[in-house]
Amino acid sequence: SPFNNDRYVLNAQIGEGGSVYQATDTTLAREVAIKLIPLTDEKVLNEVRHLAKCKSEYIVDIHDIHLKCNLPY
């Protein structure tokens, strides 16, 4: 798995491209979607933080972000 984390278990890739996964949140016992994106600089991290504050039926809610993985994502 490209994602090493104690909280989320990646179950299957969703769609094409390989960066979105159907996963299980083991802490809250629920199914979630995980998108792996490269957080290469502070600008990208700030964009994610701003998106997390947005509430719209057209924007997926961001519940969590992890910066420590075995890959730079």
Side-chain angles (χ1 to χ4, degrees), residues 34-61:
I34 301 279
K35 180 168 180 70
L36 301 179
I37 57 172
L39 294 175
T40 54
D41 58 31
E42 194 67 26
K43 181 180 177 184
V44 175
L45 182 56
N46 284 334
E47 288 180 22
V48 172
R49 288 178 175 151
H50 287 292
L51 279 173
K53 295 176 185 178
C54 293
K55 299 297 176 202
S56 169
E57 63 183 280
Y58 303 106
I59 300 174
V60 175
D61 291 336

Side-chain angles (χ1 to χ4, degrees), residues 9-24 31-36:
V9 176
L10 300 184
N11 299 317
Q13 287 186 354
I14 299 172
E16 301 292 323
S19 66
V20 179
Y21 295 84
Q22 183 272 331
T24 303
E31 298 302 305
V32 298
I34 301 279
K35 180 168 180 70
L36 301 179

Side-chain angles (χ1 to χ4, degrees), residues 6-8 24-32 63-64:
D6 291 334
R7 180 170 179 175
Y8 301 102
T24 303
D25 178 339
T26 60
T27 302
L28 298 178
R30 65 180 178 175
E31 298 302 305
V32 298
H63 295 282
D64 201 357

